[in-house]
């Protein structure tokens, strides 16, 4: 293979792809990053690796970035990176990460994930036994124990032992979960930096927030806008990359996905949840999710998740963080400002933007560099920062804590539509809403931020939702973390189909938090909502809302809403009127992780 030398001078602008591929992703300006005060050089060598994955032999397409002066006598640690869904080794994010670390003296290996770009095999959603196994083969190359298909070997990577390279991984979204998948198979990984990725794919694509955990027991409400975009992008790989090898041809009605993905997609789009098919779907989604294999991950992990993210929300990162911490894996977590639903095209000032090469000047960038300094360069005295940090848009900076804040304040749902701070203030009463045969609430058009398209403001149609509001706040209130609500609803029509063999007959509702300004203007915080398929309409149930970091300013009101539908999700089957009854000794409760101020 040919090798060519590149210099870290500004290059042409290219799009970054963290989620849905070059054809759908919003472009974020990228230029080759450089290190302040240095003119670092590196060579880029295209390589191919034949791997066995999922019972097939296929080729992995990769580029190795080798810094000038790095050789057998002067080895360097390595960074492995791959693409977000729909991307490849050449997309903006993968290429930019490789360049960023090559200019800082790391060997970088960027590759196209299985089923994407010019890499073969089917898309299997980062299954450890398939995608993780393939990535482990690339670690073999970095460790010097295997050659590329053309015979090229790497003898210039720092090693901790024979065949054991000093290597970390970094990437976003689909390129984030592959790190955990690989680490569950290969203990040689030394550091992970997964950005904006999932914990449980069942929750991500079919969320049910009627519990205290990310992993659902009952299927939820199909997130069809996001999921349909991914499916179409995967199936379109043959059009985007003509002349692909036969290992990319699927079965069971899919062209580029493994059969389980095809069956899962058909089930979700059918709007039905028969017990046997649903159990199969949930089992497959968990099998390819970190939730099922985190117990095998021992690699130090710096989790970075976006506050503006309706695809993989903060709850997913918190679930991964808590699991890793509980088992003793060295883990820290940052909630940054941008995610799939905002800021990707134009990050807030001072926020991480790899394309601008601002690792040394952004808070998140400095944390990543410190993480790799400690675990890849072996600088054990390096301070890697606090266990938990979160972006405060009202101060354009970060706050820190020992852990995500716990629930600290309660308010109660009063019969007159108020949120009150004491049960004794609850006014007895009942209120009713009902769904229509089409969506009557709007939270977001899921792909709009990535495509740079306008999106109508969130709204709810009168009669199809209920809301409860605090009185105007006397001082600012800062909410940081995952709110929770305990609810009880009355719905005779839903109760009559409660024991249906099809879970799709169960009642669906959507919970959310608004910020209401003194002039009545309503803001749905980060456009986030909590779809709920009520497990048993005859009993109280818990709703875990999406995590937020938000300041409610003085004079504003916090409003809690439950709505009958949302345009970004599948909803109720049939008209199901819902009543909420409030009494001082028996009413709904909203709990919030408040770190400053009072809702009373």
């Amino acid at each position: 293979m040919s090798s060519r030398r590149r210099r870290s001078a500004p290059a042409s602008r290219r799009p970054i792809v963290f989620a849905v591929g070059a054809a759908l992703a919003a472009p974020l300006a990228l230029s080759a990053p450089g290190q302040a005060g240095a003119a670092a050089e590196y060579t880029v060598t295209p390589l191919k690796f034949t791997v066995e994955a999922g019972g097939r032999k296929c080729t992995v397409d990769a580029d190795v970035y080798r810094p000038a002066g790095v050789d057998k006598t002067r080895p360097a640690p390595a960074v492995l990176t791959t693409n977000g869904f729909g991307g490849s080794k050449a997309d903006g994010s993968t290429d930019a990460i490789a360049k960023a670390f090559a200019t800082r003296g790391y060997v970088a290996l960027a590759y196209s994930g299985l089923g994407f770009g010019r890499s073969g095999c089917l898309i299997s959603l980062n299954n450890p036994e398939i995608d993780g196994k393939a990535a482990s083969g690339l670690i073999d190359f970095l460790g010097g124990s295997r050659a590329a298909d053309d015979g090229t070997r790497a003898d210039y990577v720092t090693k901790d032992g024979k065949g054991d390279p000093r290597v970390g991984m970094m990437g976003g979204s689909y390129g984030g979960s592959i790190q955990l998948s690989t680490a569950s198979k290969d203990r040689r990984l030394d550091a992970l930096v997964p950005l904006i990725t999932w914990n449980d794919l069942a929750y991500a694509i079919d969320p049910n927030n009627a519990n205290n955990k990310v992993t659902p027991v009952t299927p939820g409400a199909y997130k069809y806008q996001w999921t349909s975009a991914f499916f179409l992008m995967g199936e379109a790989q043959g059009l985007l990359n003509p002349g692909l090898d036969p290992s990319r041809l699927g079965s069971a009605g899919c062209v580029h996905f493994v059969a389980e993905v095809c069956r899962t997609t058909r089930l979700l789009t059918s709007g039905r949840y028969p017990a046997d098919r649903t159990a199969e779907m949930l089992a497959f989604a968990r099998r390819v999710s970190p939730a099922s294999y985190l117990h095998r991950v021992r690699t130090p992990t710096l989790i970075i998740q976006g506050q503006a993210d309706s695809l993989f929300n903060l709850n997913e990162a918190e679930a991964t963080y808590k699991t890793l911490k509980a088992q003793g894996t060295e883990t820290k977590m940052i909630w940054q400002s941008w995610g799939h639903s905002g800021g990707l095209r134009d990050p807030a000032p001072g926020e991480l933007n790899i394309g601008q090469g601002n690792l040394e000047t952004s808070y998140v960038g400095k944390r990543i560099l410190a993480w790799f300094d400690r675990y890849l360069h072996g600088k054990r005295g390096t301070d890697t920062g606090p266990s938990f940090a979160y972006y405060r848009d009202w101060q354009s900076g970060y706050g820190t804590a020992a852990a995500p804040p716990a629930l600290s304040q309660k308010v109660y749902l009063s019969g007159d539509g108020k949120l009150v701070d004491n049960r004794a203030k609850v006014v007895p009463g009942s209120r009713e809403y009902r769904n229509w045969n089409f969506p009557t609430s709007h939270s977001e058009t899921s792909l709009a931020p990535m495509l740079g398209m306008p999106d109508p403001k969130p709204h709810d149609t009168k009669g199809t939702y209920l809301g409860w509001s605090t009185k105007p706040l006397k001082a600012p209130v800062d909410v940081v973390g995952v709110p929770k609500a305990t609810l009880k609803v009355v719905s005779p029509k839903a109760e009559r189909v409660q024991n249906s063999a099809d879970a799709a007959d169960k009642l669906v509702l959507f919970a959310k938090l608004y910020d209401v300004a003194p002039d009545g203007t309503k803001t749905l915080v980060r456009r986030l909502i909590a779809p709920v398929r009520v497990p048993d309409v005859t009993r109280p149930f818990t709703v875990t809302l999406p995590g937020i970091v938000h300041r409610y300013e003085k004079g504003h009101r916090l409003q809690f809403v439950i709505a009958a539908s949302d345009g970004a999700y599948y909803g109720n089957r049939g008209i199901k009127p819902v009543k909420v009854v409030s009494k001082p000794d028996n009413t709904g409760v909203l709990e919030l992780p408040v770190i400053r101020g009072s809702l009373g």
Side-chain angles (χ1 to χ4, degrees):
M1 292 287 183
S2 63
S3 175
R4 62 186 184 277
R5 181 171 295 277
R6 290 182 180 172
R7 191 177 182 85
S8 60
S12 59
R13 295 163 72 87
R14 304 178 65 182
I16 187 169
V17 182
F18 270 122
V20 294
L24 293 180
L28 176 62
L30 289 179
S31 56
Q35 189 171 8
E41 296 181 345
Y42 52 86
T43 58
V44 181
T45 304
L47 295 173
K48 305 287 186 184
F49 300 88
T50 298
V51 299
E52 290 190 14
R56 299 179 181 227
K57 279 192 174 182
C58 56
T59 299
V60 174
D61 186 26
D63 286 337
V64 176
Y65 296 67
R66 179 177 173 180
V70 171
D71 55 28
K72 186 175 183 178
T73 63
R74 291 170 294 180
V79 174
L80 184 63
T81 186
T82 189
N83 51 275
F85 199 94
S88 71
K89 70 174 187 179
D91 71 38
S93 61
T94 312
D95 183 52
I97 291 170
K99 289 176 179 177
F101 286 98
T103 60
R104 289 163 174 84
Y106 292 86
V107 175
L109 195 161
Y111 73 99
S112 298
L114 299 185
F116 296 106
R118 290 288 174 177
S119 287
C121 281
L122 299 172
I123 301 169
S124 60
L125 305 184
N126 286 337
N127 188 327
E129 302 304 322
I130 301 175
D131 305 80
K133 182 180 177 182
S136 185
L138 302 183
I139 296 174
D140 289 340
F141 168 75
L142 294 171
S145 60
R146 74 165 289 175
D149 289 357
D150 68 351
T152 299
R153 290 186 176 272
D155 60 358
Y156 42 80
V157 176
T158 304
K159 294 181 179 61
D160 293 317
K162 185 177 180 181
D164 184 0
R166 188 84 58 78
V167 57
M169 291 188 77
M170 179 177 168
S173 195
Y174 199 74
S177 73
I178 185 59
Q179 300 173 51
L180 298 165
S181 176
T182 305
S184 75
K185 296 289 293 181
D186 199 322
R187 291 289 182 90
R188 292 175 297 173
L189 277 170
D190 297 287
L192 307 179
V193 183
L195 293 91
I196 59 174
T197 196
W198 70 86
N199 172 270
D200 192 320
L201 205 56
Y203 174 82
I205 65 176
D206 195 46
N208 184 10
N209 290 271
N211 53 57
N212 290 316
K213 299 178 180 179
V214 165
T215 300
V217 177
T218 302
Y222 178 37
K223 194 185 291 183
Y224 77 91
Q225 290 185 0
W226 277 121
T227 308
S228 297
F230 288 137
F231 186 75
L232 291 173
M233 176 55 62
E235 289 293 78
Q237 288 300 299
L239 297 175
L240 299 172
N241 301 284
L244 297 178
D245 65 76
S247 72
R248 292 284 288 271
L249 298 179
S251 59
C254 286
V255 179
H256 294 294
F257 288 96
V258 296
E260 293 93 335
V261 174
C262 214
R263 290 195 292 267
T264 294
T265 303
R266 284 200 296 267
L267 174 66
L268 291 171
T269 55
S270 74
R272 300 180 61 247
Y273 291 107
D276 56 340
R277 294 287 312 284
T278 300
E280 178 189 7
M281 180 268 288
L282 292 174
F284 167 68
R286 288 172 188 150
R287 190 164 64 249
V288 297
S289 295
S292 70
Y293 54 73
L294 281 174
H295 63 281
R296 300 196 300 268
V297 175
R298 301 295 172 179
T299 306
T301 304
L302 177 61
I303 300 167
I304 302 172
Q305 202 79 347
Q307 295 170 22
D309 207 319
S310 65
L311 177 59
F312 305 136
N313 63 29
L314 298 177
N315 303 37
E316 303 235 36
E318 185 178 61
T320 298
Y321 172 82
K322 287 183 175 179
T323 299
L324 293 177
K325 290 284 282 188
Q327 69 191 26
T329 301
E330 181 61 31
T331 308
K332 295 186 177 182
M333 181 168 64
I334 302 171
W335 290 354
Q336 64 178 15
S337 64
W338 57 263
H340 292 89
S341 302
L344 187 60
R345 292 170 58 89
D346 187 19
E351 281 285 77
L352 174 66
N353 186 331
I354 296 169
Q356 293 180 355
N358 69 342
L359 287 169
E360 282 84 5
T361 57
S362 64
Y363 176 83
V364 173
K366 287 186 283 189
R367 293 287 302 274
I368 293 169
L369 291 175
W371 199 254
F372 283 169
D373 275 349
R374 181 176 177 85
Y375 296 108
L376 298 187
H377 279 298
K379 299 178 181 178
R380 293 295 173 179
T382 302
D383 180 4
T384 58
S387 293
F388 173 62
Y390 53 94
Y391 183 78
R392 299 174 295 191
D393 57 4
W394 60 92
Q395 291 184 344
S396 298
Y398 279 82
T400 63
L407 297 168
S408 57
Q409 291 191 28
K410 294 181 180 181
V411 285
Y412 302 89
L413 280 59
S414 181
D416 57 1
K418 295 178 181 177
L419 283 175
V420 296
D421 62 350
N422 191 304
R423 284 188 181 274
K425 298 178 182 178
V426 172
V427 174
S430 66
R431 303 161 72 209
E432 183 180 279
Y433 73 86
R434 65 179 58 210
N435 62 297
W436 296 355
N437 281 322
F438 54 87
T440 53
S441 290
H442 174 78
S443 61
E444 66 168 7
T445 304
S446 299
L447 293 173
M450 301 191 73
L451 295 173
M453 296 170 54
D455 194 6
K457 292 182 179 180
H459 64 266
D460 302 288
T461 301
K462 185 177 180 180
T464 66
Y465 76 98
L466 295 176
W468 293 264
S469 300
T470 66
K471 60 185 178 182
L473 301 173
K474 297 177 181 179
V477 171
D478 297 344
V479 179
V480 177
V482 179
K484 183 179 76 172
T486 302
L487 300 173
K488 174 69 170 68
V489 299
V490 178
S491 180
K493 283 195 174 182
E495 189 173 345
R496 284 199 289 271
V497 294
Q498 177 68 34
N499 297 317
S500 169
D502 188 345
D505 289 324
K506 291 180 179 290
L507 177 67
V508 174
L509 58 85
F510 299 83
K512 46 198 169 182
L513 293 176
Y514 282 97
D515 182 331
V516 184
D519 64 359
T521 302
K522 295 173 63 174
T523 300
L524 178 58
V525 179
R526 296 288 191 177
R527 291 182 179 257
L528 297 173
I529 65 174
V532 175
R533 190 173 295 276
V534 180
D536 186 343
V537 76
T538 67
R539 299 174 179 271
F541 58 95
T542 297
V543 177
T544 304
L545 281 84
I548 59 172
V549 178
H550 184 73
R551 168 168 285 184
Y552 289 86
E553 296 288 356
K554 179 181 178 181
H556 287 225
R557 290 175 290 140
L558 182 151
Q559 185 183 50
F560 174 67
V561 165
I562 57 173
S565 61
D566 190 88
Y569 299 78
Y570 281 9
N572 288 294
R573 177 187 290 179
I575 304 298
K576 297 183 176 72
V578 174
K579 184 181 294 184
V580 178
V581 179
S582 297
K583 294 185 291 185
D585 61 345
N586 185 14
T587 191
V589 182
L590 175 64
E591 298 179 70
L592 297 125
V594 175
I595 64 169
R596 179 192 177 193
S598 174
L599 295 169

